[in-house]
Amino acid sequence: MDEPEWLNAEELTAWKALAEVLFLLPAALESQLQRDADLAMADYMVLVMLSERDDHCMRMSELAASASTSQSRLSRIVARLEAAEFVTREMAPDDRRAVLATLTESGLAKLVAAAPGHVAQVRRLVFDRLTPAQVLSLTDIARALAHPDDHAACDGPPR
Amino acid sequence: MDEPEWLNAEELTAWKALAEVLFLLPAALESQLQRDADLAMADYMVLVMLSERDDHCMRMSELAASASTSQSRLSRIVARLEAAEFVTREMAPDDRRAVLATLTESGLAKLVAAAPGHVAQVRRLVFDRLTPAQVLSLTDIARALAHPDDHAACDGPPR
DNA sequence: CTAGTTTATTTGACACAGCAACTACTTCCC
DNA sequence: GGGAAGTAGTTGCTGTGTCAAATAAACTAG
């Protein structure tokens, strides 16, 4: 393995600031949603994903992938949401292994009630603090960082 | 309350990319550290904070603040680290309510062993993907976002 | 000096995430 | 057709985080 290149001064200051954001921002979003809508971020994401479908319906595995969560976690989340009557679960007609989760009326109502507060929090914590130019810059940067696994194999020797 | 201003197109794309980073990057760092050093990120942070002190020693409350974690969580983390003999806990001589956590030799050794892999991961997932200009830009942006609570009270009516 | 308050930390109860084992169904292939 | 292999989803176990209550020491005022 290489001599591990330490971070230089600019990188270190950038990293400290980024680490703080990585740590505190999700917590701040989570806590707003929990307090105002009694939903976890993951619950909210699931409701959003379902709401974006025309039929408000998705297979568990697909839902897990779009909400970036594991199947087992999703299974428990949906069980919770089902208990709260925000979604229903039914066997898929074409493949009887699969389960279709469907957003209910009250689930949609819950989402509609929760979304404005969440968006306001995003605005307050992110966009109110950035200039339009920074927003564009952030988009590029975030996109560059957005796929941690992609370059996993690039550590190896060049072919 | 205001009409909740929805996000515009630029903000929405920025938010989607940022949300992904917020979700995946910590997980990728966590999992490298867990796999290669059997440490949680929070454990690592605690070791780092202690190592940065000349005496390798800090009060629990101070440690909780610098690692951005709750006291109760820190208490359990340090209990774990103590069980692994990476830190010791002792009553503070001047204030007998307080507890001083001290990094042990083997705790420092653990940190020294874990750090290069962690830094390499940070480099691989962050700095290898950004231009120097983007690093500077990121610093500004991250600093602007870094204190979610600061403006919490600004929502209320001015006194 | 002593009752009440504030500060520092831990702990019990409960909820949730991750892993691995499990069930149930489908597909592949001879 | 029928068994092996693969896929979809759930669940038991265990570890960890959170909240609130508990403990204990230090201030603060009368």
Side-chain angles (χ1 to χ4, degrees):
Chain A
M1 222 192 256
D2 281 340
E3 184 65 17
E5 296 180 44
W6 206 256
L7 302 178
N8 65 38
E10 286 82 17
E11 289 170 340
L12 192 58
T13 55
W15 175 240
K16 283 182 180 169
L18 178 58
E20 199 160 349
V21 172
L22 252 28
F23 203 86
L24 297 177
L25 188 51
L29 294 168
E30 191 83 48
S31 98
Q32 180 277 326
L33 216 42
Q34 191 67 62
R35 177 168 45 78
D36 296 348
D38 192 34
L39 285 175
M41 196 63 195
D43 299 355
Y44 181 82
M45 289 290 271
V46 166
L47 297 179
V48 169
M49 292 304 159
L50 288 175
S51 76
E52 286 177 351
R53 288 303 177 96
D54 285 345
D55 52 0
H56 288 176
C57 179
M58 222 183 292
R59 288 170 70 128
M60 293 296 279
S61 48
E62 196 185 358
L63 197 46
S66 31
S68 308
T69 195
S70 68
Q71 277 207 143
S72 87
R73 186 181 177 192
L74 180 73
S75 184
R76 296 181 205 272
I77 289 170
V78 171
R80 236 161 30 220
L81 292 175
E82 188 182 33
E85 308 202 319
F86 297 148
V87 307
T88 56
R89 276 192 288 192
E90 55 203 321
M91 219 175 55
D94 55 320
D95 183 342
R96 281 157 55 208
R97 292 169 301 182
V99 170
L100 299 176
T102 307
L103 190 62
T104 64
E105 281 305 313
S106 75
L108 182 60
K110 179 74 174 180
L111 179 59
V112 167
H118 174 68
V119 173
Q121 180 80 334
V122 170
R123 172 166 293 293
R124 192 170 73 77
L125 297 183
V126 180
F127 297 105
D128 282 353
R129 298 169 179 218
L130 300 178
T131 65
Q134 283 180 316
V135 172
L136 297 180
S137 197
L138 173 60
T139 305
D140 291 340
I141 292 170
R143 280 186 175 151
L145 308 186
H147 304 287
D149 300 333
D150 283 3
H151 300 289
C154 296
D155 284 345
R159 297 178 280 118
Chain B
M1 222 192 258
D2 280 340
E3 185 64 18
E5 296 179 43
W6 206 256
L7 302 179
N8 66 37
E10 287 83 17
E11 289 169 341
L12 193 58
T13 55
W15 175 239
K16 282 182 180 169
L18 178 59
E20 200 160 348
V21 172
L22 251 29
F23 203 86
L24 298 177
L25 189 50
L29 294 168
E30 192 83 47
S31 98
Q32 179 277 326
L33 216 42
Q34 190 69 58
R35 178 168 45 79
D36 296 348
D38 191 36
L39 284 175
M41 195 63 195
D43 299 357
Y44 181 81
M45 289 290 271
V46 166
L47 297 180
V48 169
M49 291 305 158
L50 288 175
S51 76
E52 286 179 350
R53 288 304 176 94
D54 286 345
D55 51 1
H56 289 176
C57 178
M58 223 184 292
R59 289 170 68 130
M60 294 295 281
S61 48
E62 195 186 358
L63 196 46
S66 31
S68 307
T69 193
S70 68
Q71 282 210 142
S72 87
R73 186 181 176 189
L74 180 74
S75 185
R76 295 188 201 269
I77 290 170
V78 171
R80 236 159 33 219
L81 293 175
E82 187 181 35
E85 307 202 321
F86 297 148
V87 306
T88 56
R89 278 192 288 193
E90 54 203 323
M91 217 175 59
D94 55 320
D95 182 343
R96 282 156 55 207
R97 290 168 303 181
V99 170
L100 298 176
T102 308
L103 190 62
T104 63
E105 280 307 313
S106 75
L108 183 59
K110 180 73 173 180
L111 179 59
V112 167
H118 175 68
V119 172
Q121 180 80 333
V122 170
R123 172 167 294 293
R124 192 171 72 76
L125 297 182
V126 180
F127 297 106
D128 282 353
R129 301 170 178 217
L130 300 178
T131 66
Q134 284 179 316
V135 172
L136 296 181
S137 196
L138 173 59
T139 305
D140 290 341
I141 293 170
R143 281 187 174 150
L145 308 186
H147 304 288
D149 299 333
D150 282 5
H151 301 289
C154 296
D155 285 345
R159 296 180 280 116

